[in-house]
Amino acid sequence: MPIRFFIKQWLMPPGILFLLLLVAWWLRARRPRLAALCFAVGLGGLWLMSLPAVVQESARLLETEPPLAVGEWAGLASRADAIVVLGAGRERGDPAWGGGDQPSALALERMRFAARLAKASGLPVLTSGGLHYGTPPSEAQLMADRLQEDFAVGVKWKEEASRTTWENAQLSARLLQPLGIRRVVLVTQAWHMQRSRWSFEQAGFEVVVAPMGFLGRDHARPFGGLLPESRAVWQSGQLLNEAVGLLGYRLFY
């Protein structure tokens, strides 16, 4: 896992763009034209990744699933049998919490929305997410604890072994489908929903999508989103990773 993560970080932007800048510096004397091309692509890619306007337009290509209307929340019990909220990583060893691991900010967004849906509909909740490099507790357990303590929502099932979105779906199916549960409300970020829905449908579920955290909306950024922002670099990386994952899932699963 660590080696795969290391390779992935350098093959995907912004890692690959930094490598191009290093190659440009290395080739500057021997191959000036190739060096100039590598420099232009590397620097240009980093600049584009830093623009909120690029994030917004890119997100619209991935955020194809419409949001649930607030008026639909209470009626979800007639359309589904459970709510599934997907894990999204963890923050490790925060001293403010006594050194214990906590769900990431992305996971907290999902949990907050799932809690609102659960309270409105009365549907039971499953959290899905495995270990981090084999270290307990699982993401599912972390989310279950926080849902109970911070949002007063109990979790009925925990899927604690998955490492990918595909495994979220397959292992959730092993838990829920023997109980006769095949209709689920799926909670994740809007840009992650295409791949998530596809994975859960492949696992035999009927999916009611509940996307949140949309990036492809007008967030009223100054100068039309054409000024670089550090947050946009991270968001661009998430979107690129999602686009590659969506393509890879269709090819290999």
Side-chain angles (χ1 to χ4, degrees):
M1 180 70 174
I3 294 177
R4 186 178 70 176
F5 179 79
F6 178 83
I7 294 172
K8 175 186 173 183
Q9 292 304 100
W10 285 110
L11 289 180
M12 289 288 295
I16 188 66
L17 302 176
F18 284 114
L19 284 179
L20 285 172
L21 293 175
L22 288 173
V23 169
W25 180 83
W26 186 53
L27 295 175
R28 68 191 188 284
R30 289 174 291 175
R31 302 285 298 276
R33 290 186 178 178
L34 181 57
L37 176 62
C38 290
F39 180 80
V41 173
L43 186 62
L46 288 172
W47 176 71
L48 288 173
M49 286 185 70
S50 73
L51 298 181
V54 172
V55 171
Q56 184 170 302
E57 294 304 315
S58 301
R60 287 175 178 168
L61 299 176
L62 292 170
E63 296 175 345
T64 57
E65 303 289 353
L68 277 175
V70 175
E72 297 180 80
W73 295 3
L76 285 174
S78 66
R79 302 171 58 191
D81 306 307
I83 295 170
V84 176
V85 54
L86 305 184
R90 68 180 73 196
E91 304 297 337
R92 309 222 39 195
D94 189 337
W97 296 92
D101 291 358
Q102 297 295 314
S104 70
L106 285 179
L108 283 168
E109 283 189 78
R110 299 177 187 183
M111 291 157 52
R112 180 185 176 213
F113 193 53
R116 292 292 297 271
L117 297 180
K119 289 178 178 180
S121 66
L123 288 171
V125 176
L126 177 144
T127 54
S128 177
L131 301 176
H132 185 80
Y133 299 137
T135 304
S138 66
E139 288 183 28
Q141 183 64 59
L142 288 173
M143 290 193 296
D145 292 342
R146 297 274 59 83
L147 278 165
Q148 179 64 62
E149 295 178 26
D150 299 341
F151 299 101
V153 170
V155 169
K156 189 167 185 179
W157 307 282
K158 292 172 288 187
E159 180 286 295
E160 302 183 81
S162 59
R163 297 164 298 174
T164 65
T165 303
W166 179 261
E167 290 182 356
N168 286 145
Q170 295 295 316
L171 298 178
S172 294
R174 293 182 191 177
L175 278 174
L176 297 180
Q177 290 180 6
L179 303 175
I181 297 175
R182 292 183 174 273
R183 302 182 303 163
V184 297
V185 179
L186 188 59
V187 178
T188 189
Q189 268 72 22
W191 42 264
H192 183 230
M193 185 57 80
Q194 269 197 68
R195 181 159 57 116
S196 300
R197 178 177 188 168
W198 184 84
S199 297
F200 273 75
E201 287 177 342
Q202 293 298 304
F205 285 107
E206 180 182 333
V207 177
V208 177
V209 294
M212 34 67 60
F214 287 81
L215 297 179
R217 298 296 190 267
D218 183 3
H219 296 290
R221 291 186 170 102
F223 301 98
L226 296 176
L227 289 180
E229 288 185 8
S230 57
R231 182 176 62 169
V233 176
W234 179 83
Q235 291 172 334
S236 292
Q238 293 292 111
L239 294 174
L240 284 167
N241 181 76
E242 189 58 34
V244 171
L246 185 60
L247 176 61
Y249 274 36
R250 299 297 177 88
L251 290 175
F252 298 114
Y253 290 122

